[in-house]
């Protein structure tokens, strides 16, 4: 019983870790393809593979362990420069990654590895491995980023080292890593140098002192110090400088130097390499472990349901607080001012403020960086581009933009579709682009940013763009619109035709996109999460899709209106404006009531008819009209009374009622009563069918 | 274990409530709480017996009127009117009843299968049985059926109708 529980505990940790490493691999391998000489990337990949190897082996997942073992070996050859990074190698790496993912999924669903075939892949890896001649036993030794960061001393420096040892000095190899967000790397390094020079002599730095002063280093530098001070003193002197992430101090050993004197230069270096690497990496690992430990204690995984419950509890607090204030008010009326009552008032105001803050904090806890979705795209784009024979420069901007978890879950699919479209239909083939005088490599850019209270995500390409005339012709051919109406469309309206169900511009159905279920589904998806999608396209220059989304699905800025005693909420993202209509302004087109607003015909409906609420519509001289719009023409909805704007927390109507047409959910108001949130999309659709029926009759 | 089961079999614990002139009972295990009548927000486009939704400590919960559900004459709301909140599977629903009288134990052997016809007119398909306690008769409701199967069908039907009229 207990052991089963324990295994599942470890399993979850293993899977979380595997997810993390797979993510790293995914990203780094794709980046490596564009930057084949980048040793940092290779090191990242190597480390991820190594971690996976270690954890899968310790969990007893042999297939994954053997794949990652051979993968690691291949990666090591890449790092050593014995094998060159070619597109074929990248493909092989990706293939490994895919198999690892499959294995992970199997483990996740069944708790053990399944029947997935790994032999073939392993033999492919072996081919790469056997293509070179280095002995295997050396391969698994160095696994740290520091592998390429050892210090090579020239003869003069070696002389200095041995002299220092003879005189009884220490010689320290010091690696200093500055905080990654350190703003003044140069000055920090200078202070480190200055401090060290007060206790000894720096005989070498990597990079050179000039480069360090000019900030020509990432955030790490090495130096060799000759000093009488012992390790801990040296460390404390460096540590006194701020913005330092880690310090690694190792003695430069004299034996190494002696060895070097007796051996061939090439071999010497090799030994030194490995020694240095091993030493540094061990220490570095300890350091890293430490920081990782700190990190894990800083974040906690929490079930979303918990946050939801917390949210509800806070909601109750808000309501009770209002009641408390009411009671205080009543008591005051009865008893007059009294000291204790004033205290009560103070307390209730304080509780109110705290509950407000609490609510906000919980809201924030549900936010995630959009990275979670974006990170899987580079790989996808690469695969699609390769398959379509196109060259794509894929740029991602604003990964750190935070969005509500629920929105993040919904946004992935539409984005995949838009990216596929951009690659498949947008970007031209390299030959064609060259003919057009464009760079052979097409640009596809995905970006996310905050704008006021919204998230804006754009997908743009510098491809062929969309031709309004072609789209019109296509729509007519598909019977989506008649010739007469098509002629009257503006170019922008014509482009919007691609959102009609059954429209697809791809001449032939490719494996990627163009199955005729494309854009209307994208738009549905986005509207479902209260988003809006807009296209801007220029023939020959490219297309840009702009998606605007609410920050969260759980909280919504709404316009509250009253219909008799019931309160309804219009999500503000759908409200165009509020107008007041006089009775004699209303005109009729057949049975349809309309009003002219700035020269445009606005059809009018009462909220009760759209919701099938039976009541006598009161006769009034003028009434408020909420003008709403869902990506087409606006519709006016007559209500009894406007109550104003408010932030509301969206709740579902529950499983029992499920989806009620015309309603998007419910919310609890300050007084504890429930108000219904309108599904504007549903209402507008309903209104439109009504309108057609009335005008047709 | 077996002994426990035996005890459970012998006895059932019921929340007993009044609906019109009849006495009904539901298994206490599914009753989450019993609350006073409160203001209910009507929800359009739902079946007639759905009175609306209430705020139950931050959760929005639908409330049905059992009178309407069973096509019984509607009683007026009184000081005794209560909402019994039940949880059946994933579904949480409040049921309006005329009053809640007590919680009692009834021996399993004194529960008879539902008779073909009951005077009150409640469809016997919704009944689990009739409990006899001294001179009283307690009608046991099968909420599983009432909330899951039948009502769901009805809800779906009414929603379909709405959708159908929209599509016309």
């Amino acid at each position: 019983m207990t052991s089963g529980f324990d295994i599942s505990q470890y399993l979850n940790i293993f899977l979380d870790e595997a997810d993390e490493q797979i993510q790293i691999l995914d990203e780094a391998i794709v980046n490596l393809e564009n930057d084949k000489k980048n040793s940092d990337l290779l090191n990242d990949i190597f480390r991820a593979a190594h971690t996976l190897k270690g954890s899968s082996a310790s969990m007893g997942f042999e297939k994954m362990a053997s794949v990652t073992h051979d993968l690691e070996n291949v990666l090591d050859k890449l790092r050593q420069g014995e094998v060159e990074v070619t597109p074929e190698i990248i493909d092989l790496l990706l293939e490994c990654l895919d198999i690892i993912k499959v294995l992970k999924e199997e483990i996740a669903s069944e708790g053990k590895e399944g029947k997935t075939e790994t032999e073939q892949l392993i033999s492919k890896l072996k081919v790469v491995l056997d293509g070179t001649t280095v002995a295997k036993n050396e391969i698994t030794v160095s696994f740290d980023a520091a592998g390429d960061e050892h210090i090579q001393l020239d003869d003069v420096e070696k002389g200095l080292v041995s002299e220092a040892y003879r005189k009884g000095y220490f010689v320290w190899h010091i690696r200093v890593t500055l905080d990654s967000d350190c703003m003044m790397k140069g000055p920090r390094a200078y202070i480190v140098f200055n401090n060290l020079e007060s206790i000894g002599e720096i005989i070498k730095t990597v990079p050179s002192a000039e480069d360090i002063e000019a900030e020509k280093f990432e955030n790490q530098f090495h130096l060799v110090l000759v000093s009488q001070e012992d390790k801990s003193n040296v460390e404390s002197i460096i540590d006194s400088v701020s913005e330092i992430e880690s310090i690694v101090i190792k003695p430069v050993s004299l034996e190494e130097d002696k060895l070097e004197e007796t051996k061939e230069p090439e071999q010497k270096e090799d030994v030194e390499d490995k020694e240095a690497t091993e030493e540094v990496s061990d220490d570095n690992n300890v350091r890293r472990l430490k920081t990782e430990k700190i990190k894990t204690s800083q974040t906690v995984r929490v079930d979303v349901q918990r946050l939801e419950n917390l949210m509800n509890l806070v909601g109750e607090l808000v309501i009770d607080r209002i009641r408390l204030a009411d009671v205080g008010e009543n008591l005051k009326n009865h008893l007059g001012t009294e000291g204790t009552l004033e205290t009560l008032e103070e307390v209730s105001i304080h509780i109110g403020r705290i509950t407000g803050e609490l609510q906000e904090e919980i809201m924030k806890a549900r936010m995630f960086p959009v990275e979670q979705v974006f990170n899987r795209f580079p790989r996808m784009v690469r695969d699609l581009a390769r398959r379509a024979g196109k060259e794509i420069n894929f740029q991602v901007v604003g990964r750190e933009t935070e969005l509500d978890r629920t929105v993040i879950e919904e946004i992935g699919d539409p984005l995949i579709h838009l990216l596929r479209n951009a690659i498949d239909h947008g970007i031209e083939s390299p030959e064609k682009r060259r003919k057009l005088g464009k760079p052979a490599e097409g640009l596809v850019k995905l970006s996310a940013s905050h704008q006021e209270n919204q998230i804006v995500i754009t997908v743009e390409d510098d491809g062929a763009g969309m031709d309004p005339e072609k789209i019109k012709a296509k729509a007519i051919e598909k019977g989506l619109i008649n010739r007469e109406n098509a002629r009257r469309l503006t170019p922008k309206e014509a482009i919007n035709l691609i959102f009609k169900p059954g429209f697809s511009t791809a001449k032939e159905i490719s494996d990627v996109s163009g199955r005729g279920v494309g854009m209307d589904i994208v738009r549905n998806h986005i509207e479902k999460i209260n988003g809006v999608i807009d296209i801007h396209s220029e023939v020959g220059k490219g297309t840009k899709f702009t998606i605007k989304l609410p920050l969260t699905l759980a909280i919504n800025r709404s316009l509250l209106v009253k219909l008799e005693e019931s309160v309804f909420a219009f999500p503000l993202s759908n409200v165009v404006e509020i107008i007041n209509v006089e009775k004699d302004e209303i005109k009729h087109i057949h049975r349809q009531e309309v009003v002219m607003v700035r020269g445009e015909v606005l059809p009018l409906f009462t909220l009760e008819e759209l919701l099938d609420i039976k009541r006598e519509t009161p006769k009034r001289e003028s009434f408020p009209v909420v003008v709403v719009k869902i990506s087409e023409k606006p519709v006016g909805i007559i209500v009894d009374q406007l109550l104003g704007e408010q932030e509301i927390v969206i709740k579902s109507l529950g499983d029992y009622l499920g989806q009620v047409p015309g309603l998007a959910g419910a919310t609890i108001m300050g007084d504890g009563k429930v108000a219904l949130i309108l599904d504007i999309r549903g209402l507008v659709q309903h209104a439109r069918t009504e309108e057609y029926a009335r005008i047709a009759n | 274990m077996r002994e426990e089961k035996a005890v459970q079999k012998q006895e059932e614990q019921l929340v007993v409530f009044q609906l019109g002139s009849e006495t009904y009972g539901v298994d206490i295990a599914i009753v989450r709480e019993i609350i006073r009548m409160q203001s209910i927000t009507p929800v359009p486009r739902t079946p007639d017996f759905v009175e609306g939704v209430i705020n139950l400590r931050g959760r929005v919960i639908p409330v049905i009127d059992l009178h309407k559900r069973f096509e019984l004459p509607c009683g007026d709301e009184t000081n005794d009117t209560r909402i019994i909140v039940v949880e059946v599977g994933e579904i949480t629903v409040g049921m309006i009843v005329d009053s809640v009288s007590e919680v009692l134990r009834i021996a399993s052997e004194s529960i008879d299968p539902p008779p073909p016809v009951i005077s009150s007119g409640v469809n016997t398909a919704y009944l689990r049985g009739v409990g006899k306690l001294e001179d009283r008769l307690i009608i046991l409701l099968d909420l599983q059926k009432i909330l899951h199967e039948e009502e769901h069908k009805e809800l779906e039907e009414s929603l379909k109708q709405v959708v159908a009229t929209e599509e016309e």
Side-chain angles (χ1 to χ4, degrees):
Chain A
M1 202 57 189
T2 25
S3 75
F5 176 76
D6 277 346
I7 283 172
S8 81
Q9 278 259 314
Y10 290 130
L11 188 63
N12 280 336
I13 296 170
F14 166 76
L15 288 172
D16 282 346
E17 191 181 75
D19 271 338
E20 227 164 83
Q21 302 305 330
I22 287 172
Q23 189 78 60
I24 294 170
L25 287 174
D26 220 332
E27 224 182 314
I29 295 175
V30 174
N31 287 338
L32 183 69
E33 185 170 36
N34 300 325
D35 193 359
K36 296 195 176 68
K37 299 268 177 282
N38 190 329
S39 57
D40 285 346
L41 280 174
L42 264 176
N43 281 321
D44 284 347
I45 298 168
F46 184 83
R47 229 170 320 170
H50 178 79
T51 309
L52 272 177
K53 184 188 86 172
S55 56
S56 56
S58 65
M59 289 292 290
F61 298 131
E62 280 166 23
K63 284 184 181 175
M64 192 186 277
S66 63
V67 170
T68 44
H69 175 75
D70 284 331
L71 172 64
E72 191 186 356
N73 290 350
V74 169
L75 288 166
D76 196 59
K77 290 203 183 286
L78 296 175
R79 283 201 322 177
Q80 307 291 340
E82 290 168 24
V83 175
E84 214 179 312
V85 181
T86 59
E88 289 71 38
I89 288 284
I90 296 278
D91 280 341
L92 182 60
L93 295 181
L94 288 173
E95 207 178 312
C96 289
L97 178 56
D98 287 339
I99 289 280
I100 292 169
K101 281 182 188 168
V102 171
L103 291 171
K104 195 218 81 186
E105 285 309 316
E106 279 178 0
I107 293 165
S109 59
E110 290 161 33
K112 59 179 173 36
E113 288 177 320
K115 293 196 181 90
T116 307
E117 187 53 56
T118 55
E119 290 307 316
Q120 208 185 346
L121 182 65
I122 287 174
S123 58
K124 276 192 203 174
L125 289 167
K126 293 261 198 276
V127 170
V128 177
L129 284 175
D130 296 341
T132 56
T133 47
V134 167
K136 264 188 185 170
N137 56 357
E138 293 173 6
I139 285 161
T140 51
V141 178
S142 57
F143 51 82
D144 196 82
D148 53 347
E149 289 167 354
H150 61 277
I151 289 197
Q152 284 182 35
L153 301 177
D154 59 31
D155 287 341
V156 182
E157 287 154 359
K158 276 178 197 154
L160 284 171
V161 170
S162 32
E163 198 189 335
Y165 274 121
R166 254 202 312 281
K167 287 182 180 168
Y169 285 90
F170 293 110
V171 183
W172 299 114
H173 171 189
I174 305 168
R175 194 187 69 183
V176 180
T177 309
L178 297 176
D179 280 353
S180 55
D181 53 1
C182 172
M183 295 299 286
M184 300 182 297
K185 294 186 294 186
R188 292 284 170 235
Y190 175 78
I191 297 171
V192 171
F193 282 24
N194 224 12
N195 287 358
L196 289 178
E197 246 143 18
S198 68
I199 55 160
E201 195 187 347
I202 297 169
I203 57 168
K204 181 165 180 85
T205 69
V206 174
S208 69
E210 290 87 347
D211 281 351
I212 291 175
E213 237 173 72
E215 297 202 357
K216 282 183 191 159
F217 64 106
E218 273 301 314
N219 52 0
Q220 204 174 73
F221 56 89
H222 300 251
L223 37 87
V224 177
L225 177 79
V226 177
S227 171
Q228 278 182 309
E229 302 293 335
D230 66 22
K231 188 174 168 179
S232 61
N233 283 348
V234 173
E235 182 161 25
S236 67
I237 275 173
I238 304 174
D239 220 0
S240 64
V241 181
S242 55
E243 288 188 283
I244 284 180
E245 193 186 280
S246 67
I247 309 157
V248 178
I249 301 175
K250 281 274 154 190
V252 175
S253 90
L254 197 60
E255 262 128 281
E256 249 176 61
D257 288 330
K258 276 182 186 160
L259 263 175
E260 275 171 45
E261 278 164 24
T262 57
K263 285 189 178 176
E264 278 180 83
E266 233 190 292
Q267 275 219 299
K268 267 192 294 183
E269 253 178 42
D270 228 89
V271 174
E272 197 190 40
D273 271 7
K274 237 159 251 148
E275 294 271 347
T277 318
E278 252 189 84
E279 278 169 11
V280 173
S281 64
D282 277 346
D283 220 29
N284 192 35
N285 268 355
V286 173
R287 281 269 173 178
R288 226 182 30 237
L289 270 178
K290 268 189 197 159
T291 48
E292 268 169 17
K293 259 186 197 155
I294 292 163
K295 266 185 198 157
T296 45
S297 69
Q298 278 170 342
T299 61
V300 184
R301 281 169 209 272
V302 182
D303 187 349
V304 181
Q305 192 54 47
R306 283 231 167 126
L307 292 179
E308 220 100 291
N309 293 346
L310 272 177
M311 198 70 187
N312 285 340
L313 291 174
V314 173
E316 278 174 59
L317 269 185
V318 172
I319 292 157
D320 283 344
R321 192 228 124 213
I322 293 168
R323 287 177 59 190
L324 195 64
D326 280 350
V327 171
E329 197 64 27
N330 283 341
L331 282 176
K332 216 166 163 182
N333 292 341
H334 281 113
L335 305 172
T337 25
E338 208 194 293
T340 36
L341 282 183
E342 265 171 40
T343 320
L344 178 69
E345 203 177 339
E346 261 176 51
V347 170
S348 87
I349 289 171
H350 189 222
I351 290 177
R353 207 174 57 225
I354 290 174
T355 44
E357 281 171 23
L358 204 54
Q359 195 166 5
E360 201 171 303
E361 287 302 318
I362 295 169
M363 230 42 246
K364 279 187 197 153
R366 297 166 44 108
M367 305 286 267
F368 274 107
V370 75
E371 205 170 22
Q372 288 211 326
V373 187
F374 281 15
N375 278 353
R376 58 181 212 238
F377 291 150
R379 167 73 193 280
M380 185 193 84
V381 167
R382 176 210 173 262
D383 285 357
L384 289 175
R386 247 179 104 93
R387 218 176 302 158
K390 292 177 183 175
E391 289 171 27
I392 308 271
N393 168 15
F394 183 52
Q395 294 183 2
V396 182
V397 180
R399 289 164 191 263
E400 68 289 344
T401 313
E402 286 197 328
L403 259 177
D404 191 86
R405 199 188 63 91
T406 40
V407 182
I408 286 189
E409 280 169 4
E410 293 292 333
I411 196 62
D413 287 351
L415 287 181
I416 288 175
H417 214 95
L418 291 178
L419 289 172
R420 286 178 160 186
N421 272 344
I423 296 159
D424 214 37
H425 307 316
I427 303 292
E428 311 90 335
S429 62
E431 305 82 53
K432 194 169 177 193
R433 288 180 67 89
R434 263 184 225 111
K435 260 184 221 156
L436 291 166
K438 290 182 181 181
E441 200 180 52
L443 174 75
V444 175
K445 190 171 159 190
L446 173 67
S447 72
S449 63
H450 276 266
Q451 272 174 30
E452 285 162 26
N453 245 335
Q454 283 184 317
I455 299 285
V456 179
I457 297 178
T458 61
V459 177
E460 60 189 302
D461 65 67
D462 67 347
M466 286 187 252
D467 184 347
E469 291 309 316
K470 274 189 193 157
I471 289 172
K472 277 190 205 176
K474 179 90 176 180
I476 293 168
E477 181 197 315
K478 294 250 168 186
L480 300 172
I481 189 169
N482 64 33
R483 228 163 264 282
E484 192 53 37
N485 288 337
R487 200 170 304 140
R488 274 189 254 133
L489 294 179
T490 64
K492 195 171 170 63
E493 281 171 334
I495 286 177
N496 273 316
L497 284 173
I498 64 165
F499 287 123
K500 290 253 179 203
F503 188 94
S504 164
T505 47
K507 290 226 173 61
E508 52 211 81
I509 290 176
S510 77
D511 146 38
V512 183
S513 50
R515 285 174 212 278
V517 290
M519 295 306 294
D520 61 317
I521 289 186
V522 169
R523 189 167 76 174
N524 274 345
H525 247 89
I526 288 165
E527 285 177 354
K528 208 171 86 192
I529 45 177
N530 288 326
V532 188
I533 181 165
D534 203 32
I535 321 173
H536 179 81
S537 185
E538 264 180 78
V539 177
K541 290 201 174 154
T543 304
K544 180 176 181 178
F545 287 91
T546 306
I547 300 168
K548 290 185 181 161
L549 296 169
L551 275 184
T552 158
L553 285 187
I555 286 196
N556 187 325
R557 197 146 186 91
S558 287
L559 172 71
L560 298 183
V561 304
K562 228 172 166 180
L563 196 71
E564 289 187 320
E565 286 311 302
S566 299
V567 178
F568 291 92
F570 282 83
L572 222 50
S573 53
N574 301 123
V575 175
V576 181
E577 61 177 332
I578 298 159
I579 54 174
N580 205 54
V581 174
E582 303 288 330
K583 198 177 146 202
D584 49 8
E585 284 178 291
I586 293 183
K587 299 190 171 50
H588 286 83
I589 297 179
H590 297 274
R591 290 189 300 127
Q592 176 62 52
E593 293 189 333
V594 299
V595 65
M596 297 298 287
V597 180
R598 291 182 291 271
E600 298 275 331
V601 177
L602 179 72
L604 291 182
F605 299 87
T606 59
L607 184 55
E608 59 260 37
E609 66 181 340
L610 293 181
L611 287 175
D612 299 329
I613 297 172
K614 288 172 197 75
R615 70 151 186 168
E616 279 295 305
T617 306
K619 302 224 178 313
R620 286 168 298 180
E621 286 310 304
S622 74
F623 31 78
V625 170
V626 182
V627 183
V628 296
K629 191 179 161 187
I630 290 282
S631 57
E632 280 176 77
K633 286 179 196 152
V635 169
I637 299 176
I638 302 170
V639 299
D640 282 0
Q641 196 191 337
L642 299 171
L643 295 177
E645 280 179 40
Q646 201 180 309
E647 297 254 298
I648 56 170
V649 178
I650 301 168
K651 292 174 186 285
S652 100
L653 287 169
D655 283 341
Y656 183 62
L657 295 180
Q659 290 282 17
V660 179
L663 297 181
T667 186
I668 292 166
M669 314 225 287
D671 61 2
K673 287 196 183 139
V674 180
L676 299 175
I677 303 167
L678 298 170
D679 166 26
I680 305 298
R681 222 168 95 78
L683 287 186
V684 168
Q685 267 172 8
H686 185 47
R688 225 161 271 288
T689 39
E690 268 295 294
E691 185 188 348
Y692 288 141
R694 287 176 192 176
I695 291 175
N697 284 350
Chain B
M1 275 300 264
R2 197 170 283 168
E3 256 179 40
E4 250 181 59
K5 240 182 199 169
V7 173
Q8 267 175 8
K9 261 193 182 165
Q10 277 168 12
E11 220 171 40
E12 279 191 33
Q13 220 174 344
L14 302 174
V15 172
V16 177
F17 60 91
Q18 216 63 39
L19 205 61
S21 55
E22 306 282 352
T23 308
Y24 293 82
V26 290
D27 183 2
I28 199 165
I30 60 167
V31 175
R32 259 189 71 184
E33 56 194 295
I34 297 160
I35 54 176
R36 286 181 170 275
M37 200 53 185
Q38 51 172 287
S39 83
I40 298 176
T41 304
V43 179
R45 292 181 160 185
T46 48
D48 191 40
F49 57 79
V50 175
E51 281 294 294
V53 287
I54 56 165
N55 163 17
L56 183 71
R57 288 193 313 280
R59 271 182 79 186
V60 174
I61 293 193
V63 174
I64 61 174
D65 188 334
L66 279 188
H67 298 97
K68 288 182 185 164
R69 182 70 189 86
F70 297 145
E71 290 161 357
L72 302 174
C74 278
D76 287 332
E77 188 187 322
T78 68
N79 226 1
D80 290 330
T81 306
R82 292 289 183 277
I83 298 172
I84 301 179
V85 180
V86 296
E87 211 170 58
V88 182
E90 295 288 294
I91 292 174
T92 307
V93 172
M95 308 187 298
I96 300 175
V97 301
D98 289 334
S99 68
V100 176
S101 39
E102 64 201 306
V103 174
L104 55 79
R105 286 170 195 276
I106 186 166
S108 300
E109 55 200 34
S110 49
I111 298 176
D112 291 345
V117 178
I118 282 189
S119 56
S120 67
V122 175
N123 188 338
T124 51
Y126 299 149
L127 304 185
R128 248 181 62 218
V130 176
K132 278 179 290 194
L133 201 71
E134 289 152 26
D135 56 340
R136 296 158 67 191
L137 282 183
I138 297 167
I139 305 166
L140 303 182
L141 293 177
D142 187 346
L143 283 175
Q144 199 79 27
K145 257 196 189 130
I146 294 172
L147 297 179
H148 274 289
E149 297 170 24
E150 295 295 323
E151 221 147 343
H152 238 68
K153 257 184 226 157
E154 204 160 323
L155 266 170
E156 266 164 26
E157 280 307 309
S158 76
L159 292 186
K160 260 184 216 152
Q161 269 172 19
V162 174
V163 173
T165 45
E166 252 176 34
E167 277 167 358
E168 279 165 24

